[in-house]
Amino acid sequence: MNLIPPDTTLSGTPKTRSSRAATKAQEAALPAAPAPGVASVSQLSAKLTEYLTASELKKVKEAYRFSDEMHLGQVRKSGEPYISHPIAVAEICADWKLDAQAIMAALLHDVMEDQDVKKDELIERFGAPVASLVDGLSKLEKIEFQTLIEAQAENFRKMLLAMASDVRVILIKLADRLHNMRTLEHMTPAKKRRIASETMEVYVPIAHRLGLNNIYRELQDLAFSHLYPVRYRTLSKAVKAARGNRREVVKKILESVKNTLAIAELPAEVYGREKTLYGIYKKMRSKHLSFSQVLDVYGFRVVVDSFANCYVALGTLHGLYKPMPGKFKDYIAIRKLNGYQSLHTTLIGPYGTPVEFQIRTQEMHRTAESGVAAHWLYKNGESNLSDLQQKTHAWLQSLLDIQQQTGDSAEFLEHVKVDLFPDSVYVFTPKSKIIALPRGATALDFAYTIHTGIGDHTVSVKINNEAASLRTELRNGDIVEIVTNPDSKPSPTWLAFVRTGKARSAIRHHLRTINLNESVELGRELLAQALTALNIQPDLPEPTVEKLLNESSAKSMDELYADIGIGKRMAALVARHIFGLVDDDLVSLPANPHATPGELDPVTIYGSEGVSVQLAPCCLPIPGDQIIGQLRRDQGLIVHTSDCASAKRLRGKEPDRWISVQWGGELNRRFDCRIRLLINNEKGILARVAAEIGESDANISYVGMDEDEEHVMTQLRFTIQIKDRVHLAHLIRNLRRVVGVTRVERERN
């Protein structure tokens, strides 16, 4: 059965359509001859006929006709009829053998966004499942966003959440992005770079996470070609030249491997493969190599008939060529997060050239190339899910968990992008369950991966049965045990070292909700100071408050104050917004429209505020230091010393987030401070130093030491608790008098 009847125009539109003028306009816009690679209705029809039933084909045909009608007269930048794009997307989906609903959604994916078709109309014509897929794929262009970044973030949030309920959404979206990238040459250079950058940052990692390696590699190369066109062309020429130079080597290896496997009576398919241009470029950048130094541009894949024969083939190849030490990876025993399974080994081939081999079964090969597209989450019940499906399902569900704990779309996208990096480490629970985490993940990330409640109440950790810090980075094979306490709560300092999106969103959620009162008070004080600087009375009348809440999307003034207190909104910007809303009688003096955050009255710091006001761990300010405050998103006010190197570096990036602060008069607490001593390596010196610190009325909270190679001098590092700068000066004078102490100084970042 043909999808499209023979009596059609070049665009696929029936000739009997009543709108003749529109048809002529569309035909006039067509190129004289179809460009190479232009989507073909007949090709799509042939692919669908292979696996869809007659009734399903009829529904797809209806979706095609509706899409063609909606896009009539619309053309792409290349001059092709716009309908060629939905057909191309549907054709990519047909290669994955997606079901009729997904093909219909692919054909209709732009009608809501471009032609203002309502979801209700799609439900009535094609059913709720198809309408939901199209809705998940449509951008939110009717909503006004403050910035392009915010709009993009909200679009991604909606798409990823739709994907969490039905993975077909992201598969169609990836097909859409792939075709757009294939036809990107007609865009302006600026738009090419923006779309290519977005593809590399978000869509490439998603394709990798879902195991769609063919799409992953093609998107990478396409994005690379538009981000760095000169590098791409140069590298492409070098690879073409290398093909001729290395053809004999590749042929010799291929013949040797096939003969060796045949002698061992191992049925196998062997074929060479070439690294992608982006893969070669990435290796050159990361290892600082020239192209001529990248020897493994070519690799080989061995596909065998059974699981056991993977290891037999490995042994056979190791007998043919010598393996390189440390270059063997068993992704069959411990598969990657995206379900990928293969044995990887690098051998020393002819002429001393390193050659990589991947060994896998046919089933592993299908999963490696098509990933989750080969295993439908929506066809079977959860009880029938394969291991790959369960892992993908768990990751999709984690998106919903992050969404529930995230304040806004930009933050949600930030967390998700963190989890999309492909490099992973594999660690074990005490009961030998394997947990996969992003490379660089810490013991605290492990706790939050197990359960949010465990992460929130973590107090300590054991790694390989030895006590370790919560910030310890995990390595492959570590056995991790978490110790919890019901009274323990997340600390804002945890945000400085956790790696996973789930951990970051959970900690931020806790800080937002548990410390709300403190954030509200800080926000109220900051806004009052900003209003005073603009000569506006801080007590706003009810009509002004109502206008402000309507325009700021906050539900109450306390919510607005809390947002300011945790750094989500800037007090100075809110004050300027209020300035445009207030009546003249609320402004006591002529306003200064050029007032900046630095001109506001300083915020008074007493050192015991808690979570919404924190002393920066990089410089550990103490009373008497000149200080400055940084409003950080979801962390509140961070107080630095004025000469802190980190603060100086950060002020150049976000100057509007810095405010003046000062110490209060009554400070009834002690403050951490780091000091460093250089001492002679002699008997009893540590005891004398510790005793002097105690006699100077200071407490020791940490001590560390580093010896020189000749064991003559030792550097001692203390974290001590003191009252203020005067107390510190007194302590340093006393320590300098201790026999054996050569130098004493306050340690800076």
Side-chain angles (χ1 to χ4, degrees), residues 37 99 202 236 247 295 372 481 522 578 589 634 644 738:
D99 63 5
V202 178
S236 181
R247 187 175 293 123
L295 299 173
V372 75
E481 181 181 354
L522 174 62
I578 293 172
L589 293 169
D634 292 324
C644 172
V738 174

Side-chain angles (χ1 to χ4, degrees), residues 628-692:
I628 189 166
Q630 177 195 19
L631 281 164
R632 290 189 59 180
R633 191 179 187 87
D634 292 324
Q635 293 186 52
L637 184 63
I638 313 295
V639 180
H640 294 261
T641 60
S642 297
D643 59 354
C644 172
S646 296
K648 288 179 180 177
R649 187 171 62 253
L650 293 168
R651 285 186 76 175
K653 296 179 180 178
E654 294 183 302
D656 58 336
R657 284 190 170 270
W658 294 82
I659 62 173
S660 297
V661 292
Q662 65 184 10
W663 294 105
E666 298 180 7
L667 300 164
N668 298 320
R669 61 157 284 192
R670 289 176 180 262
F671 298 81
D672 282 344
C673 180
R674 289 187 292 262
I675 60 172
R676 182 168 53 222
L677 293 80
L678 190 65
I679 61 172
N680 296 322
N681 197 0
E682 58 186 56
K683 187 176 180 180
I685 182 67
L686 180 59
R688 294 199 297 274
V689 169
E692 187 58 53

Side-chain angles (χ1 to χ4, degrees), residues 205-465:
I206 288 177
H208 187 277
R209 185 62 181 76
L210 295 177
L212 300 162
N213 287 325
N214 285 339
I215 304 299
Y216 161 70
R217 288 190 289 264
E218 186 176 353
L219 284 176
Q220 262 189 342
D221 267 11
L222 288 168
F224 174 45
S225 70
H226 293 293
L227 285 172
Y228 306 106
V230 176
R231 299 179 198 184
Y232 180 86
R233 287 195 296 269
T234 304
L235 203 52
S236 181
K237 288 178 183 176
V239 169
K240 285 177 182 175
R243 281 184 193 141
N245 299 335
R246 301 179 188 182
R247 187 175 293 123
E248 287 302 315
V249 177
V250 172
K251 184 179 178 182
K252 183 175 180 180
I253 294 172
L254 201 58
E255 289 176 354
S256 298
V257 170
K258 285 182 177 179
N259 291 336
T260 303
L261 293 175
I263 293 169
E265 298 182 349
L266 273 174
E269 297 174 18
V270 185
Y271 45 92
R273 61 181 189 86
E274 190 177 280
K275 271 186 180 287
T276 63
L277 290 179
Y278 182 74
I280 297 170
Y281 172 72
K282 191 174 167 186
K283 187 165 188 176
M284 290 169 62
R285 286 292 301 270
S286 63
K287 302 202 172 180
H288 306 288
L289 302 173
S290 66
F291 176 75
S292 60
Q293 292 172 305
V294 181
L295 299 173
D296 56 342
V297 172
Y298 294 94
F300 294 85
R301 189 165 290 143
V302 179
V303 181
V304 297
D305 60 345
S306 69
F307 171 88
N309 278 344
C310 289
Y311 293 92
V312 176
L314 177 72
T316 304
L317 291 175
H318 282 190
L320 175 64
Y321 299 122
K322 294 298 181 187
M324 288 182 67
K327 291 291 187 178
F328 168 67
K329 293 177 182 176
D330 189 343
Y331 291 121
I332 292 180
I334 301 178
R335 70 179 67 193
K336 288 188 177 183
L337 279 173
N338 58 19
Y340 176 88
Q341 286 184 292
S342 280
L343 297 178
H344 287 199
T345 186
T346 302
L347 311 178
I348 303 297
Y351 316 111
T353 305
V355 183
E356 185 189 62
F357 283 84
Q358 296 174 353
I359 307 167
R360 59 179 69 149
T361 65
Q362 285 287 358
E363 179 62 28
M364 293 172 192
H365 183 61
R366 277 194 295 272
T367 299
E369 297 306 304
S370 301
V372 75
H375 302 273
W376 297 118
L377 290 173
Y378 50 84
K379 281 191 176 178
N380 303 315
E382 197 165 322
S383 60
N384 297 323
L385 296 182
S386 67
D387 185 52
L388 168 60
Q389 289 173 305
Q390 289 172 0
K391 287 184 177 179
T392 305
H393 185 67
W395 178 63
L396 295 176
Q397 288 302 310
S398 75
L399 296 179
L400 299 178
D401 294 339
I402 291 174
Q403 161 64 13
Q404 291 172 0
Q405 297 172 342
T406 301
D408 58 30
S409 301
E411 186 183 323
F412 171 75
L413 181 58
E414 172 198 335
H415 295 326
V416 172
K417 283 168 71 173
V418 165
D419 281 348
L420 284 174
F421 286 101
D423 288 340
S424 302
V425 293
Y426 298 89
V427 297
F428 297 87
T429 68
K431 294 184 178 179
S432 299
K433 181 182 178 183
I434 298 175
I435 303 293
L437 293 165
R439 191 165 299 281
T442 64
L444 190 58
D445 289 303
F446 173 88
Y448 275 103
T449 299
I450 299 298
H451 193 275
T452 301
I454 291 175
D456 284 346
H457 299 301
T458 296
V459 290
S460 62
V461 62
K462 288 184 179 179
I463 300 176
N464 303 323
N465 293 320

Side-chain angles (χ1 to χ4, degrees), residues 91-137:
E91 197 172 329
I92 295 169
C93 293
D95 289 334
W96 294 330
K97 301 291 191 290
L98 294 199
D99 63 5
Q101 291 177 349
I103 302 297
M104 292 163 70
L107 290 166
L108 298 164
H109 76 272
D110 278 333
V111 297
M112 289 179 71
E113 178 186 336
D114 293 348
Q115 306 302 327
D116 202 25
V117 175
K118 304 301 182 190
K119 185 177 179 181
D120 289 344
E121 184 178 352
L122 291 181
I123 292 174
E124 184 179 343
R125 280 176 171 266
F126 307 108
V130 173
S132 295
L133 288 172
V134 177
D135 184 49
L137 290 159

